[in-house]
Amino acid sequence: PSDMLGIGGAPGAYAAVTPPYGLTNGLEVGDAFLCSAPTGTLDVATGARARCAGYALYTNETVLAAGGTTNAFWYTHERFARLVWRWDLVYEVAFTAGTGGTVTTNGGWYGEDEAVTVTAQPAAGRFFSHWTGNVPEGQRYQATLAFLSTEPVTATAVFGQTFHVRTDGNDSADGLSWASAKKTIEAAVFVSDVTHGTHL
């Protein structure tokens, strides 16, 4: 119907806009009013924020009639039209290190499809074991994560402890060096149950 203005958002209907998302009915030719979206960066979900990047105004559903990068403009009705508010998304990416190492970055806020890279760095006598959290598929056991930001990510680097075993060692020793090596693998494995990952 020619008396309607449809309002939506891409990639989603974020925040409260004026007129509201949906259909504004009963418009007559020549009706004019301000269309607006909030300014600034807004929380839209846990670990996700959006900022209005502008708008696109279509007629006949697909014909682009007007557009801009502002968050407000005056609309004058002529016939059925479709207004789409465009949003830029940013995602929170957080990296932490478990006992025995560090990470090269703690993360931050990254834009849609922005490159993210972090490396887990073990301390002396330790080794990188794996990442916990929602890390990219196939990278859980890689010390360096490299991916494009498409969702919130929380990941923790897990490090293991290297234990030394030698035939003339002592199972009462801590096994943390060749000088204090344990004598049997069984003794080292017993200690490893507490450290969640070992190299023998």
Side-chain angles (χ1 to χ4, degrees):
S2 62
D3 66 343
M4 291 183 178
L5 171 65
I7 302 175
Y14 303 118
V17 298
T18 303
Y21 292 112
L23 290 175
T24 297
N25 301 308
L27 298 177
E28 296 183 358
V29 174
D31 283 350
F33 47 86
L34 183 68
C35 296
S36 64
T39 60
T41 303
L42 311 168
D43 291 328
V44 295
T46 301
R49 294 174 178 173
R51 180 185 65 82
C52 181
Y55 67 94
L57 184 66
Y58 298 89
T59 57
N60 298 325
E61 285 291 334
T62 59
V63 178
L64 181 63
T69 58
T70 63
N71 71 308
F73 73 100
W74 280 96
Y75 170 74
T76 301
H77 188 72
E78 295 180 3
R79 56 185 179 278
F80 174 81
R82 182 168 63 93
L83 169 61
V84 178
W85 290 107
R86 301 193 181 280
W87 299 91
D88 287 337
L89 295 177
V90 292
Y91 299 104
E92 185 177 21
V93 178
F95 302 113
T96 56
T99 302
T102 60
V103 289
T104 53
T105 177
N106 292 321
W109 290 90
Y110 293 81
E112 185 89 24
D113 291 329
E114 185 176 351
V116 183
T117 302
V118 60
T119 299
Q121 299 176 318
R126 297 286 188 134
F127 66 93
F128 169 74
S129 175
H130 62 280
W131 294 93
T132 61
N134 59 322
V135 299
E137 188 69 27
Q139 298 189 43
R140 187 168 300 277
Y141 298 99
Q142 298 177 188
T144 296
L145 298 178
F147 57 94
L148 299 181
S149 174
T150 58
E151 65 177 348
V153 172
T154 301
T156 298
V158 178
F159 301 94
Q161 175 71 60
T162 298
F163 289 95
H164 298 76
V165 177
R166 51 191 287 177
T167 57
D168 59 348
N170 184 341
D171 283 343
S172 298
D174 58 24
L176 299 182
S177 69
W178 287 118
S180 61
K182 291 186 175 295
K183 183 175 183 178
T184 64
I185 292 178
E186 290 78 11
V189 170
F190 177 79
V191 177
S192 74
D193 289 339
V194 180
T195 62
H196 305 291
T198 60
H199 277 173
L200 300 177

